[in-house]
Amino acid sequence: NAGVTQTPKFRILKIGQSMTLQCTQDMNHNYMYWYRQDPGMGLKLIYYSVGAGITDKGEVPNGYNVSRSTTEDFPLRLELAAPSQTSVYFCASSYSAWGRGDTDTQYFGPGTRLTVL
Amino acid sequence: TQLLEQSPQFLSIQEGENLTVYCNSLSVFSSLQWYRQEPGEGPVLLVTVVTGGEVKKLKRLTFQFGDARKDSSLHITAAQPGDTGLYLCAGSDIQGAQKLVFGQGTRLTINP
């Protein structure tokens, strides 16, 4: 199993450009998440999905869009890149999210380091 | 908005010493998780604590969830250079773990 894979690993964008960050998991997990991590900070939830076709906003959704057409894939779209979106983006997945046990374990991808100039 | 404050933010100690990292909040969490993150990688779950007052041990690491489920601590005994990394706590509320709230992290350096 590859776990959670993310592409690209690095990207530099100009202000106003758009791009899609790809995320794929092969663990048949129901839940998928997108986080951003700014330097010296913890992770902040951007969007999450509880299954194919169902997505919801997290703490910092502005400037981003997501879709979940399959169980495996959860792409994150930046439409008009801004310098404030410079960050490291992590995708994660979990089998459940009941908040009570091991099946809630979130498995993270290696991250995409994005710079907007 | 729920907030988790971790302290200290940075800690550099010698191999063999003991240390404690704290994770505090004014909010009640249904469960709390501790992660470790290496440079250039995503966080990896170390433990989940669910019950107030719960203590879990993972080799030299001891995790405790406060009685009121508002705080947690991570204690490392006889720290080793391999313990170096960023330690993150994350809490989930009663609605479930789909919206984890992360602390800002504690960057730990163990010097040989």
Side-chain angles (χ1 to χ4, degrees):
Chain A
N1 286 351
V4 179
T5 57
Q6 292 183 238
T7 57
K9 288 190 176 181
F10 303 92
R11 184 73 185 268
I12 299 175
L13 285 181
K14 294 183 179 179
I15 295 172
Q17 287 185 321
S18 62
M19 76 165 293
T20 300
L21 283 68
Q22 302 291 345
C23 175
T24 300
Q25 54 94 7
D26 63 358
M27 297 174 281
N28 201 31
H29 283 168
N30 299 310
Y31 291 78
M32 295 188 75
Y33 315 82
W34 274 105
Y35 295 91
R36 59 177 287 174
Q37 185 176 33
D38 298 329
M41 302 294 288
L43 282 74
K44 292 189 176 181
L45 182 66
I46 304 171
Y47 271 96
Y48 68 97
S49 170
V50 304
I54 306 171
T55 62
D56 205 351
K57 296 177 180 179
E59 183 182 357
V60 289
N62 291 345
Y64 307 94
N65 280 299
V66 294
S67 60
R68 182 105 180 263
S69 57
T70 67
T71 299
E72 295 80 16
D73 301 306
F74 190 39
L76 176 72
R77 178 86 176 159
L78 282 71
E79 291 293 349
L80 290 170
S84 61
Q85 293 178 305
T86 294
S87 190
V88 180
Y89 291 84
F90 289 100
C91 178
S93 73
S94 67
Y95 176 76
S96 66
W98 301 318
R100 302 295 292 177
D102 292 341
T103 55
D104 292 346
T105 299
Q106 292 192 19
Y107 295 88
F108 285 80
T112 294
R113 186 175 296 274
L114 175 66
T115 302
V116 181
L117 300 174
Chain B
T1 302
Q2 295 174 308
L3 292 174
L4 275 169
E5 294 285 337
Q6 282 186 242
S7 61
Q9 285 189 268
F10 300 93
L11 184 59
S12 179
I13 63 172
Q14 294 300 119
E15 181 177 1
E17 294 183 355
N18 302 331
L19 66 106
T20 302
V21 175
Y22 299 93
C23 178
N24 295 303
S25 176
L26 296 177
S27 304
V28 175
F29 291 98
S30 67
S31 68
L32 201 135
Q33 301 175 350
W34 283 92
Y35 291 82
R36 179 179 158 189
Q37 185 177 16
E38 303 279 1
E41 299 180 7
V44 176
L45 181 69
L46 294 173
V47 77
T48 300
V49 285
V50 177
T51 306
E54 181 177 6
V55 177
K56 280 191 174 180
K57 291 192 175 183
L58 192 67
K59 297 183 180 178
R60 293 176 294 100
L61 279 61
T62 301
F63 304 85
Q64 185 163 8
F65 201 12
D67 291 340
R69 304 208 312 276
K70 292 182 179 181
D71 54 84
S72 181
S73 64
L74 158 60
H75 182 78
I76 301 179
T77 304
Q80 298 177 1
D83 295 326
T84 293
L86 180 68
Y87 289 81
L88 297 159
C89 65
S92 63
D93 63 22
I94 58 174
Q95 295 179 341
Q98 59 267 39
K99 288 189 175 183
L100 287 181
V101 174
F102 279 82
Q104 77 272 42
T106 294
R107 189 162 298 280
L108 176 64
T109 303
I110 310 300
N111 303 299

